[in-house]
Amino acid sequence: MPRDWSRYWRSPRPGLEAMHAHFERHTYHRHSHETYSFGVTDAGVQAFTCRGGGHRSTAGMVLAFNPDEPHDGRAGDELGFTYRIVHLAPELVADALSDAAGRPVGLPLFPDPVVHDPVLATALRRPHAALLGGAPALLRDELLDAAVRAMAGRASASGSGRSRREPASRGAAVLAARAAEALRADHRTDMTADELAATAGSSRFAIYRAFQAVYGMAPSDYRRQLRLRAARELLAGGAPIADVAAETGFTDQGHLTRWFVRCYGITPGAYRRAVA
């Protein structure tokens, strides 16, 4: 029998969350986080697609996702995988690096979503264990700062001399930005492709192609993600799940739950309990 399990933790401090999980059957739908996501595969094989290619992370390998970077995830074999991950808001990463440098610094970019580096793996396991283990806040902050510095120094583009893939054309970026702004203006509205194209001032095909190039997902996936992010904040505030579903544009509680699990690996109820 499959034995999928997960533990989730969210700090009262905004922009800091952590998860520890084992999945054999669960499959992540393509999604992204507004945070940096740094993880370690503890056991098994974790397979995923990111930046147009397939990747596999085995025991001891480090995961590094930039903010808003689309990816999915699944077990690489029948035994599944166990992993731990920390989600850090960009401003927390910037604060840690600027504090260490003694001056404002830019945000790092991580060119490789999988890195084989035992030093980084150890640096990430320590704050993760502190977060889920209820360690004192001062110790948590110290370990997180150390992990961020290690990640930026050993795995970021500035540290390795490598860069991310070529950006989309300026025209595609402008078009995608217009469409994204329209979706953000009211993610609850069931806008059609024709309505979105008219708002952005282009054809449906051009919108779709530009959105895929810039955001790595279709406009419909982007809108659903906006709804899920809004749902997370309402759940963190203790709102009833059924009310959250209605408020964020999902058909009902079951509809919200299915997509919440597919993108985050836990139910809305489990997420709300972790916050509490």
Side-chain angles (χ1 to χ4, degrees):
M1 294 292 293
R3 51 186 185 92
D4 291 4
W5 55 263
S6 62
R7 293 179 57 208
Y8 209 92
W9 178 88
R10 172 170 166 145
S11 172
R13 181 185 185 185
L16 176 58
E17 302 182 9
M19 182 180 189
H20 194 200
H22 174 83
F23 294 129
E24 295 177 11
R25 296 187 62 183
H26 176 67
T27 298
Y28 280 110
H29 185 77
R30 191 165 181 79
H31 68 287
S32 68
H33 301 269
E34 61 268 49
T35 61
Y36 284 96
S37 299
F38 302 140
V40 180
T41 302
D42 288 337
V45 182
Q46 183 175 5
F48 62 94
T49 57
C50 182
R51 305 176 202 175
H55 304 273
R56 291 168 70 86
S57 177
T58 57
M61 288 187 171
V62 172
L63 304 167
F65 297 113
N66 297 301
D68 294 310
E69 188 158 67
H71 57 280
D72 54 22
R74 62 197 179 279
D77 58 30
E78 66 278 4
L79 298 179
F81 65 96
T82 305
Y83 82 120
R84 60 188 69 225
I85 195 159
V86 177
H87 303 291
L88 279 165
E91 54 268 27
L92 298 183
V93 173
D95 285 348
L97 297 179
S98 297
D99 182 71
R103 58 179 173 81
V105 299
L107 289 171
L109 288 173
F110 295 90
D112 300 316
V114 180
V115 181
H116 181 59
D117 190 322
V119 173
L120 285 183
T122 299
L124 287 171
R125 286 192 180 102
R126 287 172 176 167
H128 186 277
L131 293 173
L132 269 71
L138 180 59
L139 176 59
R140 295 200 308 257
D141 290 346
E142 291 170 350
L143 294 174
L144 277 172
D145 285 350
V148 169
R149 293 194 298 269
M151 288 294 297
R154 299 176 69 92
S156 70
S158 58
S160 65
R162 292 169 292 181
S163 61
R164 297 182 70 188
R165 64 183 182 185
E166 289 298 316
S169 69
R170 177 172 175 78
V174 170
L175 193 56
R178 288 178 189 162
E181 183 179 2
L183 293 171
R184 288 194 298 268
D186 187 0
H187 58 260
R188 295 174 297 176
T189 299
D190 192 18
M191 185 183 297
T192 68
D194 284 332
E195 290 169 341
L196 180 61
T199 300
S202 188
S203 69
R204 293 188 303 179
F205 176 72
I207 292 292
Y208 183 87
R209 183 173 59 182
F211 224 92
Q212 288 280 10
V214 174
Y215 293 103
M217 61 180 67
S220 59
D221 284 329
Y222 184 84
R223 179 177 60 188
R224 184 188 306 112
Q225 185 163 269
L226 292 174
R227 292 174 174 177
L228 287 170
R229 291 180 180 180
R232 285 161 64 96
E233 293 309 309
L234 291 173
L235 290 166
I241 299 173
D243 292 350
V244 171
E247 176 66 23
T248 54
F250 289 92
T251 305
D252 53 27
Q253 180 173 330
H255 188 207
L256 168 62
T257 297
R258 288 192 295 274
W259 279 109
F260 208 93
V261 171
R262 290 184 70 181
C263 291
Y264 301 131
I266 57 172
T267 65
Y271 182 78
R272 190 172 62 173
R273 288 192 295 274
V275 175

